[in-house]
Amino acid sequence: MWTDKQRGIRVSQEELLCKNACGYYGNPAWQGLCSKCWRERARPAGAQKPDTRPTNDGAPLTFSKFEEKKNIEKGRRITTMRRLFWGSPSPPKRQESSEGLTNALKAYQSLEPGDFTGFLKILRSPPSQRLQSQCTAFLKTMEAYHDLPVQKQSDLVQDFYQSFAEHFSSFTDTQVTKIMEHIEKLIMTRLHKWVFCHDSCDDEQKDLALQKRIRSFNWVTLQMLSVPIPDKKTAVTSDPFLSAITAIIEMDAKRAPQDKLACVSKCSQHVFEVLSTSNNEPANADDFLSGLIYVVLKANPPRLHSNMQYVIRFGLPHSLMAGESGYYFTNLSCAVAFIEKLDGPALNLSPEEFDSYMLRQCAPSVGNKRQEVVSDTQHLLEELKGRQEKLDQGMDALNTELQKWVQAVHSQVDEATAQFSLVQKEITAQSELSHAVSSSSNVAPPQEDDKQPSLLVLTDQHMICTCILFEDEGF
């Protein structure tokens, strides 16, 4: 299931589904079953399994006695749940009318997804007093009996989910799911400190063992897991899976199971984005599982086993059985199961090579990584050198054009200056000539008709010189 010489890690869609073929996602923690089938299998196990041990009078137990014992146990559970919800073995008398209850439930239909504050306001309103009292009574009872075994607490929480959802039986499945997600967040945020990593189970020891095993595989590389190599330019500067690593680490800081699942979904989406970038096409299931295993090995999330068990025990069943969150969580469970059984063939390594890596006798992955970094750095330097050469050539061409333009401007200025000097000399000569003629005392004053041609000639010459100067300046 897990290994392949050509592709490394492979898992089919059928292997992720429940072994009972119910269509929901299974989980290695439930022996490949979904949460619904697992609970149905676990609860009646004691009643269905025949008991050949003799009783006090020496007679073996019969099937009718098993049925009687089963009914008694069922009655006890019903009585316990009634006490949890109503504070007495019998349900309280309904004081409000069916119309008032219907009006109270209508307010929940307008809730937006993720509007937890709006949900609390509706729950605290007078029409929802009964629902609020039910939640308050359940929380107080769970806190008072927090020493119960964690599996018993899980059963009580799941029964509470089912009982509370019955109030909204007239709603659509989408609306009920939205409301129950708010209920889960309200209940489990309060109960987190009592039920997470409970003393009645060995979650803490398994957390330490899993963390130690993940730490021993810090030498595993992308190539060993057959993960498609992302963009080398990005890989040199930082780990392309850094966002996914950060998201899976944040899971431990959340309290509600749905918030922890949101971190798993966010991590998985980042893995898909990186793989899609490296392949230039959507990633397949095999590459995704390999990438998720690499992220878990590099992140080594704190209390990973406890967080997963917390989601399994106290999360809403539909969140794990179907949908995007169920698919991602099932793959995370498969990744953890793969790491717990990781060996040489799974990484396409011989037993000798695997043992040498585990004993730290050799670490070729470090050398290979250094060679990859050196090669990628040289590639970047060559690319930068080529870009610098193109930039230098462009600067030289621009400098040459600038010099040509400066020379052209200087030549035009010199030519205009020379022409201006000639025109100025001509104007000066004409002015001197006119002054000499007008100041001569021996010559009679000219008539009006005689003066006009001289002035016209002088004016025309001046205009011609002025036009020549303006044309040279580019006007």
Short mmCIF file of all heavy atoms in Angstrom, two decimals, residues 219 353-362:
data_model
loop_
_atom_site.label_atom_id
_atom_site.label_comp_id
_atom_site.label_asym_id
_atom_site.label_seq_id
_atom_site.Cartn_x
_atom_site.Cartn_y
_atom_site.Cartn_z
N TRP A 219 16.76 13.57 8.36
CA TRP A 219 17.64 13.47 7.19
C TRP A 219 16.87 13.14 5.90
O TRP A 219 17.44 13.14 4.81
CB TRP A 219 18.69 12.37 7.42
CG TRP A 219 18.13 11.10 7.97
CD1 TRP A 219 18.01 10.74 9.27
CD2 TRP A 219 17.59 10.00 7.21
NE1 TRP A 219 17.43 9.49 9.39
CE2 TRP A 219 17.17 9.02 8.13
CE3 TRP A 219 17.42 9.76 5.85
CZ2 TRP A 219 16.59 7.81 7.73
CZ3 TRP A 219 16.84 8.57 5.45
CH2 TRP A 219 16.45 7.61 6.39
N GLU A 353 21.70 1.09 3.89
CA GLU A 353 21.69 2.55 3.79
C GLU A 353 20.75 3.16 4.83
O GLU A 353 21.09 4.17 5.47
CB GLU A 353 21.24 2.97 2.38
CG GLU A 353 22.25 2.64 1.29
CD GLU A 353 21.71 2.97 -0.09
OE1 GLU A 353 20.46 2.97 -0.27
OE2 GLU A 353 22.53 3.23 -0.99
N PHE A 354 19.59 2.55 5.01
CA PHE A 354 18.64 3.07 6.00
C PHE A 354 19.23 3.03 7.40
O PHE A 354 19.11 4.01 8.17
CB PHE A 354 17.35 2.25 5.94
CG PHE A 354 16.28 2.71 6.89
CD1 PHE A 354 15.48 3.79 6.57
CD2 PHE A 354 16.09 2.06 8.09
CE1 PHE A 354 14.49 4.23 7.44
CE2 PHE A 354 15.10 2.49 8.98
CZ PHE A 354 14.30 3.57 8.64
N ASP A 355 19.87 1.93 7.76
CA ASP A 355 20.48 1.83 9.09
C ASP A 355 21.61 2.83 9.27
O ASP A 355 21.79 3.40 10.36
CB ASP A 355 21.01 0.40 9.31
CG ASP A 355 19.88 -0.61 9.38
OD1 ASP A 355 18.74 -0.21 9.67
OD2 ASP A 355 20.15 -1.81 9.13
N SER A 356 22.40 3.06 8.21
CA SER A 356 23.50 4.02 8.33
C SER A 356 22.97 5.43 8.53
O SER A 356 23.54 6.22 9.30
CB SER A 356 24.38 3.97 7.08
OG SER A 356 23.63 4.34 5.92
N TYR A 357 21.85 5.76 7.90
CA TYR A 357 21.25 7.08 8.12
C TYR A 357 20.71 7.19 9.54
O TYR A 357 20.89 8.22 10.21
CB TYR A 357 20.11 7.32 7.13
CG TYR A 357 20.55 7.46 5.70
CD1 TYR A 357 19.69 7.10 4.66
CD2 TYR A 357 21.81 7.96 5.38
CE1 TYR A 357 20.08 7.23 3.33
CE2 TYR A 357 22.19 8.08 4.06
CZ TYR A 357 21.33 7.72 3.05
OH TYR A 357 21.72 7.86 1.75
N MET A 358 20.04 6.15 10.02
CA MET A 358 19.46 6.19 11.36
C MET A 358 20.53 6.27 12.44
O MET A 358 20.33 6.90 13.48
CB MET A 358 18.58 4.96 11.58
CG MET A 358 17.35 4.90 10.70
SD MET A 358 16.19 6.26 11.02
CE MET A 358 15.65 5.85 12.67
N LEU A 359 21.68 5.62 12.19
CA LEU A 359 22.78 5.63 13.16
C LEU A 359 23.70 6.82 12.99
O LEU A 359 24.73 6.91 13.67
CB LEU A 359 23.58 4.33 13.05
CG LEU A 359 22.81 3.04 13.38
CD1 LEU A 359 23.68 1.82 13.10
CD2 LEU A 359 22.35 3.05 14.83
N ARG A 360 23.38 7.71 12.04
CA ARG A 360 24.17 8.92 11.78
C ARG A 360 25.60 8.59 11.33
O ARG A 360 26.54 9.34 11.56
CB ARG A 360 24.23 9.82 13.02
CG ARG A 360 22.89 10.31 13.52
CD ARG A 360 22.21 11.18 12.50
NE ARG A 360 21.02 11.83 13.02
CZ ARG A 360 19.82 11.31 13.03
NH1 ARG A 360 19.63 10.08 12.53
NH2 ARG A 360 18.78 11.97 13.50
N GLN A 361 25.76 7.40 10.71
CA GLN A 361 27.08 7.04 10.22
C GLN A 361 27.41 7.74 8.91
O GLN A 361 28.58 7.90 8.57
CB GLN A 361 27.15 5.51 10.04
CG GLN A 361 27.04 4.75 11.35
CD GLN A 361 27.06 3.24 11.13
OE1 GLN A 361 27.04 2.77 10.00
NE2 GLN A 361 27.10 2.49 12.22
N CYS A 362 26.41 8.14 8.18
CA CYS A 362 26.61 8.91 6.95
C CYS A 362 25.38 9.78 6.72
O CYS A 362 24.29 9.44 7.19
CB CYS A 362 26.86 7.99 5.75
SG CYS A 362 25.45 6.94 5.33
#
